């Protein structure tokens, strides 16, 4: 009996080094985050209004679930017990009441902190307080934690993220764990059992194809992020996603650029975390963010990240295999003029060894659906005439046409 007890005591610490909460993100998480538009100018009122508008705009119905407060939610000092406290000016009634409000709308709530001694905006970080902070999040009924990487001198990313993941697990409340170390230490190689999504780049910038230089660091326009990591799609899948950052849809780009950005995030099976002000959306922004067919491509249950098929005359062709042997094709025009071409499917079979997808359009005709224009546009038997507007996309969903049964052959 004594031996059994000793063995159990030896095994217990290994058991509690258990991996992340499984199954919290079978498809890429969808939600909203405060950083891109508000930075640290956040408040009780803002969260409630965003929650209201997430419902009223149809975003909740389209699948958006998480409302995540990024940096700046806490006071500059921990309290005498070492607990984080919400900024009393921004959250005069504390956070629990705000979180309860978000939950009452059928939505989920997320918070931000950082693996370092201080967050990127100089608020108290979690270093040395991981287990205490995780207990606080669980007590507050938080559902999602974004965990950043500033002020981390002397610590190892993998170990730091593992510690927080373990702390969340022990605190006992299932919390989606979003790693944000910007792809610095290749989290896709080691974070599958630690978290549910990991940033693959520095911060996004609300511009289609430019870079913003802050002096000591840069933030990146949409095409830069798309181009940044070409060979990591095999690391993504259900419950572990490559995260190209929160979206900039509805935050200053043209409607076509927003559509291209959104479509590409869907092709990349990216988390769809809106970063715009949901209280001030025009019709086009709402239409883009809530497009059910584009979202279905992102949320496809196979969770296969799309890949670049070819680059030709300023147009990138991306392919994403989908369930039921369907496939999404996205033509993205990088140039500032419309591009017209003829796309002969018979010349462009889909052969993807990663997802084991193989489509020879000569053998099987596929029906073509134009996702943004909401119409069927024929099949793959003959070349398709395509015009892609500047900084915009044409997004197609292909499904196999019913096989034509050759009666004569059948009789033989
Ligand atoms: C880093 C992250 C951003 C945001 C800020 C907050 O830059 O990458 O997404 O969380 O910190 O300070």
């Amino acid at each position: 009996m004594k031996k059994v007890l000793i063995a159990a005591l030896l095994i217990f610490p290994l058991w509690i080094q258990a991996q992340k909460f499984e199954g919290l993100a079978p498809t890429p998480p969808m939600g909203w985050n405060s950083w891109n538009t508000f930075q640290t100018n956040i408040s009780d009122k803002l969260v409630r209004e965003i929650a209201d508008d997430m419902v009223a705009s149809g975003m909740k119905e389209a699948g958006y679930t998480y409302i995540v407060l990024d940096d700046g939610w806490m006071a500059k000092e921990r309290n005498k017990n070492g607990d984080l406290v919400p900024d009393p000016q921004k959250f005069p009634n504390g956070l629990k009441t705000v979180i309860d409000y978000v939950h009452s709308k059928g939505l989920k709530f997320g918070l931000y902190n950082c693996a370092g001694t201080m967050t990127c905006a100089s608020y108290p970080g979690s270093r040395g307080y991981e287990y205490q902070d995780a207990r606080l999040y669980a007590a507050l009924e938080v559902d999602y934690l974004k965990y950043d990487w500033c002020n981390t001198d002397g610590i190892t990313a993998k170990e730091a993220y593992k510690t927080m993941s373990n702390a969340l697990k022990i605190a006992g409340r299932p919390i989606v764990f979003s790693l944000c170390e910007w792809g610095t230490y290749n989290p896709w190689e080691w974070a599958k059992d630690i978290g549910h999504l990991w940033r693959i780049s520095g911060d996004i910038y609300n511009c289609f194809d430019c870079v913003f230089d802050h002096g000591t660091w840069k933030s990146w326009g949409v095409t830069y992020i798309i181009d940044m990591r070409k060979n990591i799609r095999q690391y993504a899948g259900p419950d572990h996603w490559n995260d190209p950052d929160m979206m900039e849809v509805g935050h200053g780009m043209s409607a076509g650029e927003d559509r291209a950005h959104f479509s590409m995030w869907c092709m990349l099976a990216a988390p769809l975390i809106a970063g715009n002000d949901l209280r001030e959306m025009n019709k086009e922004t709402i239409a883009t963010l809530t497009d059910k067919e584009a979202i279905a491509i992102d949320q496809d249950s196979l969770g296969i990240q799309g890949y670049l098929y070819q680059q030709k005359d300023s147009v990138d062709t991306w392919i994403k295999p989908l369930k039921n042997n369907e496939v999404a094709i996205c033509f993205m025009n990088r140039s500032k003029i419309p591009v017209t071409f003829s796309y002969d499917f018979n010349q462009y079979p889909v052969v993807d060894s990663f997802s084991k997808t193989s489509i020879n359009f000569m053998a099987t005709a596929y029906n073509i659906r134009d996702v943004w224009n909401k119409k069927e546009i024929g099949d793959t038997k003959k070349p398709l005439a395509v015009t892609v507007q500047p900084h915009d996309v044409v997004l197609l969903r292909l499904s196999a046409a019913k096989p034509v049964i050759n009666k004569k052959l059948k009789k033989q």
Side-chain angles (χ1 to χ4, degrees):
M1 182 63 195
K2 210 174 164 191
K3 275 187 188 156
V4 175
L5 202 66
I6 291 169
L9 284 174
L10 287 174
I11 290 167
F12 186 64
L14 294 176
W15 179 74
I16 60 172
Q17 283 287 332
Q19 297 167 338
K20 70 184 187 188
F21 283 100
E22 300 277 350
L24 299 184
T27 58
M30 294 175 66
W32 176 87
N33 174 298
S34 51
W35 185 254
N36 287 0
T37 300
F38 300 96
Q39 286 88 52
T40 59
N41 301 316
I42 49 184
S43 66
D44 177 310
K45 183 166 173 280
L46 176 73
V47 178
R48 288 171 198 264
E49 289 177 359
I50 293 288
D52 291 346
D53 282 324
M54 191 174 261
V55 177
S57 63
M59 285 179 70
K60 178 187 171 207
E61 216 243 308
Y64 294 84
T65 304
Y66 296 95
I67 294 200
V68 182
L69 271 186
D70 208 284
D71 209 348
W73 61 266
M74 70 275 259
K76 289 273 178 182
E77 304 287 341
R78 290 174 180 268
N79 70 14
K80 60 177 182 347
N81 302 322
D83 284 329
L84 292 167
V85 266
D87 181 315
Q89 250 88 53
K90 296 171 184 170
F91 300 98
N93 303 312
L95 267 184
K96 186 67 172 73
T97 151
V98 182
I99 297 172
D100 287 347
Y101 185 76
V102 170
H103 285 158
S104 77
K105 296 259 152 184
L107 299 166
K108 294 185 172 175
F109 184 84
L111 278 180
Y112 161 102
N113 209 323
C114 182
T117 47
M118 283 193 304
T119 71
C120 299
S122 303
Y123 292 82
S126 278
R127 186 170 179 185
Y129 293 89
E130 292 87 351
Y131 290 83
Q132 184 167 354
D133 290 352
R135 282 196 297 275
L136 176 72
Y137 304 145
L140 286 170
E141 298 187 80
V142 166
D143 307 292
Y144 183 112
L145 177 68
K146 171 177 168 183
Y147 204 53
D148 214 341
W149 188 243
C150 283
N151 306 300
T152 50
D153 284 356
I155 56 176
T156 312
K158 184 174 173 184
E159 291 310 316
Y161 283 97
K162 221 163 137 185
T163 303
M164 195 66 213
S165 177
N166 196 43
L168 292 173
K169 192 77 189 275
I170 288 172
R173 180 174 171 85
I175 290 181
V176 170
F177 190 37
S178 156
L179 287 75
C180 179
E181 55 81 272
W182 320 304
T184 315
Y185 298 100
N186 298 2
W188 45 89
E189 287 173 2
W190 47 260
K192 184 173 180 233
D193 298 327
I194 293 176
H196 303 89
L197 59 158
W198 47 78
R199 282 273 296 277
I200 57 158
S201 71
D203 291 2
I204 195 168
Y205 188 66
N206 57 341
C207 156
F208 189 65
D209 56 2
C210 61
V211 175
F212 190 83
D213 195 342
H214 301 261
T216 50
W217 60 287
K218 290 178 178 149
S219 42
W220 310 95
V222 168
T223 59
Y224 280 85
I225 293 190
I226 293 169
D227 292 341
M228 216 171 272
R229 310 277 181 198
K230 293 224 168 62
N231 303 311
I232 59 170
R233 65 186 284 256
Q234 68 275 23
Y235 295 103
D239 228 23
H240 54 282
W241 306 101
N242 288 320
D243 173 11
D245 207 358
M246 288 99 61
M247 295 185 290
E248 292 284 15
V249 174
H251 191 210
M253 287 187 282
S254 72
E257 290 172 335
D258 276 353
R259 201 163 31 242
H261 169 26
F262 191 74
S263 303
M264 280 307 305
W265 261 228
C266 293
M267 293 299 285
L268 294 168
L272 298 179
I273 310 290
N276 58 314
D277 188 346
L278 305 191
R279 303 166 310 173
E280 290 179 3
M281 292 193 279
N282 61 27
K283 278 194 183 133
E284 278 170 326
T285 299
I286 296 178
T288 300
L289 285 173
T290 61
D291 188 90
K292 292 198 173 136
E293 292 184 48
I295 291 172
I297 291 171
D298 178 78
Q299 296 286 302
D300 186 82
S301 59
L302 295 184
I304 298 166
Q305 181 172 330
Y307 62 99
L308 180 62
Y309 185 79
Q310 67 172 359
Q311 289 186 299
K312 212 174 162 191
D313 303 331
S314 317
V315 172
D316 293 359
T317 304
W318 285 77
I319 301 230
K320 184 180 195 286
L322 305 171
K323 66 182 180 197
N324 301 330
N325 206 27
E326 298 191 0
V327 68
I329 301 188
C330 183
F331 301 112
M332 182 181 82
N333 182 0
R334 289 174 179 261
S335 78
K336 290 188 172 151
I337 49 165
V339 178
T340 296
F341 56 94
S342 166
Y343 192 82
D344 184 355
F345 292 91
N346 290 337
Q347 278 184 31
Y348 299 124
V350 176
V351 182
D352 175 27
S353 58
F354 166 62
S355 66
K356 301 191 180 61
T357 308
S358 169
I359 303 174
N360 175 357
F361 293 106
M362 287 212 258
T364 317
Y366 273 61
N367 291 324
I368 309 170
R369 168 100 178 149
D370 181 333
V371 168
W372 290 111
N373 287 316
K374 307 272 159 258
K375 55 181 186 209
E376 312 301 327
I377 52 168
D379 60 35
T380 55
K381 283 184 211 147
K382 56 179 193 320
L384 182 72
V386 184
T387 297
V388 198
Q389 295 305 322
H391 289 190
D392 202 338
V393 287
V394 167
L395 181 60
L396 307 175
R397 184 175 182 124
L398 273 52
S399 50
K402 285 217 174 74
V404 186
I405 300 168
N406 186 325
K407 284 185 186 151
K408 270 187 198 159
L409 275 179
K410 228 182 154 189
K411 270 183 199 157
Q412 281 164 6

